[in-house]
Amino acid sequence: AGATEAAEAGVDVLRQGGNAADAAVAVSLALTVAEPFNSGIGGKLVGLYYDAASGQTWFIDGLGESPLNLPVEEIRKASKEERERGYKSVCVPGTVAALELMHKLCVKLTWKQCADPAVKLAEAGFKVPAKQLFVFKEKIDVVRSDAEAMKIYFPGDEVPAEGTLLANPDLAKVMATLRDEGPGAFYKGWIADKIVEASRNDGVGGGVADAAGSQSAATKRSATSPAGTSASAATIAAAEKRCRATLMDSPGADGRCCRGLGGPRHAGG
């Protein structure tokens, strides 16, 4: 893990009897708190999980895809800076959907057990480690345009010193909602509404704003694994956004994947 506290979250769920997938879910959620400029639930994720008992290996695809209503011509006319930063530059986040699928396929503990460490970490705060200082120094000028982010990560409008404790009550509220209501709460409800509000305040009336707004139409796409057990991939219907898991054959000469769960991805993402 990229942060000590996130690694400790993984160790904590292992001590509760969890497996490697439980730890991966816990660590990923905790990194949203403790590695703010490199990790987060607003991003994307891919996972590879080997089940020693069955000999099966799952590849979980939670890469971000472009919103269905992306204003293509508007993006083409946008400046290089607009296409690199801000809401015109981002895809529909796939991390939470991928973690949900990993949890359904691979883990032993409950979702709440896996998500709880991230909630507690956001409430208590994480200590800025020496290895993240260069990233904070690199990002401070980028973040200056966001007053709320500056208050959280750069108190006093300066780069925090090593060991500074940074709590994030607002993020704690988000993580608590995901813990208590499940991963789908990221794509439907007040969290999605906040994404829409922020994107529109940034001058984006389509694209991600439309995709986030369509989260209210989020459904569960049912699929069946080769073992005959039911699994689900979170689907953002209007944005054709999906997370996919593929059961890979035992290692072979060509390394091809087969027996897909969830079908082929939509093109254009």
Side-chain angles (χ1 to χ4, degrees):
T4 300
E5 293 93 341
E8 290 172 348
V11 172
D12 180 51
V13 299
L14 289 175
R15 286 173 175 159
Q16 294 179 56
N19 59 21
D22 290 289
V25 172
V27 168
S28 292
L29 293 173
L31 281 174
T32 297
V33 181
E35 197 181 35
F37 296 114
N38 293 324
S39 303
I41 55 177
K44 54 192 176 182
L45 178 152
V46 293
L48 193 65
Y49 181 77
Y50 171 72
D51 181 20
S54 65
Q56 296 178 335
T57 301
W58 288 96
F59 173 74
I60 297 174
D61 176 356
L63 294 174
E65 296 185 0
S66 299
L68 180 65
N69 296 319
L70 182 74
V72 177
E73 291 304 317
E74 181 180 337
I75 298 300
R76 284 175 176 168
K77 294 177 182 178
S79 67
K80 181 175 182 291
E81 182 178 356
E82 287 179 306
R83 285 184 276 113
E84 290 181 347
R85 300 195 184 279
Y87 280 88
K88 289 182 180 178
S89 69
V90 299
C91 296
V92 179
T95 293
V96 176
L99 292 177
E100 177 185 29
L101 185 53
M102 179 180 289
H103 183 264
K104 290 180 180 297
L105 291 171
C106 309
V107 306
K108 296 172 63 178
L109 302 183
T110 66
W111 172 263
K112 284 188 176 183
Q113 286 174 292
C114 294
D116 191 55
V119 179
K120 293 177 178 177
L121 181 58
E123 292 172 342
F126 75 99
K127 292 183 179 180
V128 178
K131 66 178 181 179
Q132 285 193 39
L133 287 179
F134 81 94
V135 182
F136 275 77
K137 292 175 182 178
E138 183 181 70
K139 298 298 184 183
I140 186 169
D141 288 334
V142 175
V143 178
R144 286 192 192 281
S145 60
D146 189 326
E148 288 298 318
M150 284 295 292
K151 285 194 300 183
I152 296 168
Y153 299 115
F154 299 97
D157 290 335
E158 59 185 16
V159 175
E162 179 185 350
T164 298
L165 187 68
L166 297 180
N168 195 332
D170 290 334
L171 183 56
K173 181 181 177 182
V174 170
M175 304 307 283
T177 299
L178 296 185
R179 177 195 62 192
D180 299 338
E181 299 181 18
F186 182 80
Y187 299 104
K188 179 181 179 181
W190 73 267
I191 297 175
D193 291 342
K194 287 291 186 180
I195 295 174
V196 173
E197 179 183 353
S199 65
R200 288 178 176 161
N201 288 341
D202 197 41
V204 180
V208 172
D210 287 347
S214 73
Q215 310 291 355
S216 60
T219 60
K220 295 292 185 185
R221 180 165 296 174
S222 181
T224 303
S225 75
T229 57
S230 180
S232 297
T235 301
I236 302 174
E240 297 289 352
K241 165 68 188 75
R242 284 186 299 106
C243 173
R244 180 181 66 168
T246 302
L247 180 64
M248 304 173 71
D249 274 337
S250 299
D254 56 10
R256 289 181 297 177
C257 297
C258 69
R259 298 196 297 247
L261 185 149
R265 292 179 67 188
H266 289 272

